[in-house]
Amino acid sequence: MESISYPIKPIGYIKHCHKDIPRHWSLSELEGEIVIDEDYVLGIRDIKAGNLIVILFLFDRAVSFDMDRLIVKPPHCDEYRGVFSTCSPVRPNPIGLSIVEVLEVHDFTIKVKRIDMFDGTPVIDIKPYIPYMS
């Protein structure tokens, strides 16, 4: 298979002052902000307090991936697992996903709850959270 490159440009970044960050959004009660780049501000106009949103971000501080990291041992697990069945930040494409609750939106800032990213983490996309319905 031919290797294809896809350019990704951050649309903003995470801002907060917390030192201890939970390893997963489902374990977090921390609050912070998503600061949106001026070029993309119109794109958040319909996000409202109370919404759940999906944040796609870059694991910009993770260890570089190599093929030896296809099998990992998560800290909360007693067994080794394939990386794609884990939330490990060390991945072929260092992309993270968190679901956060919107507390308020003001100008170019979305205040959210359930932060599990470091301060300054690049945000690459925001999507609405739509629960599965069968």
Side-chain angles (χ1 to χ4, degrees):
M1 178 186 234
E2 180 182 336
S3 179
I4 301 172
S5 190
Y6 299 95
I8 293 179
K9 178 182 177 191
I11 61 165
Y13 62 93
I14 300 296
K15 180 179 176 184
H16 63 75
C17 59
H18 307 293
K19 298 294 180 213
D20 294 320
I21 309 299
R23 63 179 166 77
H24 196 263
W25 61 267
S26 64
L27 304 172
S28 179
E29 293 294 321
L30 299 181
E31 295 180 8
E33 298 176 339
I34 306 166
V35 180
I36 302 297
D37 185 292
E38 186 178 325
D39 293 342
Y40 302 106
V41 168
L42 284 177
I44 67 169
R45 72 176 203 173
D46 297 308
I47 296 175
K48 308 288 185 220
N51 290 160
L52 293 179
I53 56 176
V54 177
I55 307 303
L56 296 172
F57 59 93
L58 295 175
F59 285 119
D60 62 323
R61 294 163 217 186
V63 174
S64 295
F65 179 81
D66 62 48
M67 298 307 271
D68 292 337
R69 296 184 183 273
L70 283 172
I71 305 295
V72 297
K73 186 181 172 307
H76 63 284
C77 201
D78 290 334
E79 60 187 46
Y80 284 84
R81 304 184 62 139
V83 71
F84 300 125
S85 66
T86 75
C87 294
S88 172
V90 183
R91 322 182 68 76
N93 294 300
I95 297 172
L97 178 152
S98 295
I99 299 171
V100 298
E101 177 186 349
V102 176
L103 301 175
E104 64 183 74
V105 181
H106 184 71
D107 296 330
F108 55 89
T109 303
I110 306 169
K111 185 174 181 182
V112 297
K113 180 179 178 179
R114 301 214 183 287
I115 288 289
D116 68 340
M117 315 92 166
F118 292 116
D119 182 56
T121 295
V123 173
I124 57 174
D125 206 353
I126 299 171
K127 298 178 181 291
Y129 173 77
I130 301 171
Y132 175 77
M133 292 186 214
S134 57

